Amino acid sequence: MNPLKHVAIIMDGNGRWGLKYKNSRNAGHRAGLNTVEKIIKETIKNNIKFLTLYAFSTENWKRPKKEINFLFNLLENFLKDKIEELNKQKIKLKIIGKKNFSSKLNNLLNLSEKKTSKNKRLQINLALNYGSKTELIFAFKELAKNKESINEKNLKKYLQTKDIPDPDILIRTGNTKRLSNFLLWQVAYSEIFFEKKLWPDFNEKDYYKIIKKYMSIKRNFGKI
Ligand code: IPE
Ligand code: IPE
Ligand code: MG
């Protein structure tokens, strides 16, 4: 059995789901939140310590302003509603990506991180305004600035995932096989699962199936 510490998920397909069932992309984003809650529960049930969720990429700013505003309102309300509950469940919330939102949202994010910072049961990394290329460029710049030698150990110090193991599993829902600038360095040896289902249709059973499949994979890491 493979150890399983970290699952990373590209939660894709909300917009298509919303258009298909409710004639509105935003309805899909709302529905996607239910899946987030289900997946958090199942992650805890399986005693997995790190869950990284891709919620907004550096490229998603190219979307219509209306959709962007809806997404961040949704996030704000979700955090306001649920942060106490997450805290009670001993979940630590960490934002990865650059927090350059409204000061209201930045404050809420900082507060949520602070409130949950001592929790040890599960760490959720929420990737917001996250892009792997930006993350890597920042890290290389830090190495250059500090005149440190360029090696894996030093580079890792400047990644936003510096304190945690690389993902064992990467899941992308939504029937698309690409990484869309997510954790390019960190997924070097992850087991990758591309799911046909759109994110709002993805459920704990689908997730558990992936976990079980992962357990049976022979991970080589270059060895035989
Ligand atoms: C993923 O769903 C969530 C975000 C990027 C915020 P999409 O909004 O990309 O949904 P599709 O891919 O258009 O269906
Ligand atoms: C990736 O989905 C980003 C998130 C899930 C947050 P996108 O829908 O933005 O990816 P592309 O543009 O189809 O590659
Ligand atoms: Mg998409």
Side-chain angles (χ1 to χ4, degrees):
M1 287 242 290
N2 294 316
L4 177 51
K5 292 192 177 138
H6 184 181
V7 175
I9 307 183
I10 303 174
M11 310 183 287
D12 195 27
N14 289 348
R16 277 165 286 162
W17 188 96
L19 284 178
K20 189 169 162 199
Y21 296 104
K22 316 255 177 195
N23 203 23
S24 136
R25 289 182 52 84
N26 287 344
H29 292 309
R30 183 173 284 120
L33 273 184
N34 297 329
T35 309
V36 171
E37 294 197 63
K38 284 183 202 161
I39 295 310
I40 292 174
K41 275 199 194 118
E42 189 66 21
T43 305
I44 290 178
K45 214 166 133 189
N46 284 278
N47 205 19
I48 298 162
K49 292 293 172 195
F50 302 96
L51 175 67
T52 301
L53 299 174
Y54 203 10
F56 196 86
S57 74
T58 46
E59 288 74 29
N60 287 145
W61 295 108
K62 294 174 194 160
R63 294 187 179 202
K65 205 149 187 232
K66 257 188 154 170
E67 178 165 337
I68 296 174
N69 287 341
F70 183 88
L71 276 168
F72 286 111
N73 272 327
L74 201 64
L75 172 67
E76 195 178 316
N77 290 329
F78 180 80
L79 280 179
K80 280 187 189 154
D81 273 9
K82 303 282 177 186
I83 195 66
E84 285 300 340
E85 199 182 312
L86 296 179
N87 194 30
K88 265 198 207 126
Q89 291 182 63
K90 299 277 167 269
I91 294 172
K92 171 177 173 174
L93 183 73
K94 185 177 182 323
I95 308 301
I96 64 170
K98 195 155 187 252
K99 276 184 258 171
N100 63 352
F101 313 108
S102 68
S103 51
K104 196 163 133 227
L105 182 57
N106 283 343
N107 288 340
L108 179 64
L109 294 172
N110 287 333
L111 206 78
S112 305
E113 285 185 299
K114 206 169 152 204
K115 195 187 211 70
T116 59
S117 65
K118 302 239 157 49
N119 293 336
K120 294 259 180 321
R121 192 149 165 223
L122 166 67
Q123 175 172 332
I124 298 178
N125 300 312
L126 190 61
L128 282 180
N129 188 21
Y130 172 87
S132 189
K133 288 187 176 178
T134 306
E135 178 188 36
L136 285 166
I137 286 168
F138 171 82
F140 282 115
K141 279 186 175 163
E142 286 298 304
L143 290 175
K145 194 172 82 193
N146 303 328
K147 299 194 168 49
E148 288 176 80
S149 45
I150 296 175
N151 58 44
E152 282 190 33
K153 193 163 157 266
N154 285 342
L155 184 91
K156 188 168 182 191
K157 291 194 296 189
Y158 300 109
L159 297 179
Q160 307 213 12
T161 52
K162 62 177 173 352
D163 300 319
I164 68 172
D166 286 341
D168 300 297
I169 294 178
L170 170 69
I171 301 170
R172 180 179 188 136
T173 59
N175 201 20
T176 304
K177 292 180 180 162
R178 55 177 172 252
L179 296 179
S180 303
N181 201 12
F182 188 50
L183 302 176
L184 301 179
W185 177 274
Q186 295 88 335
V187 300
Y189 264 107
S190 305
E191 303 300 331
I192 302 183
F193 295 83
F194 291 109
E195 272 284 321
K196 286 211 170 73
K197 280 193 182 178
L198 305 171
W199 178 248
D201 287 331
F202 189 68
N203 61 37
E204 53 276 69
K205 278 193 190 142
D206 302 314
Y207 186 35
Y208 187 63
K209 249 192 230 160
I210 290 175
I211 293 173
K212 268 207 334 224
K213 174 88 178 82
Y214 162 84
M215 290 299 176
S216 69
I217 292 173
K218 182 171 174 279
R219 302 185 81 189
N220 288 345
F221 298 102
K223 296 176 283 191
I224 53 169

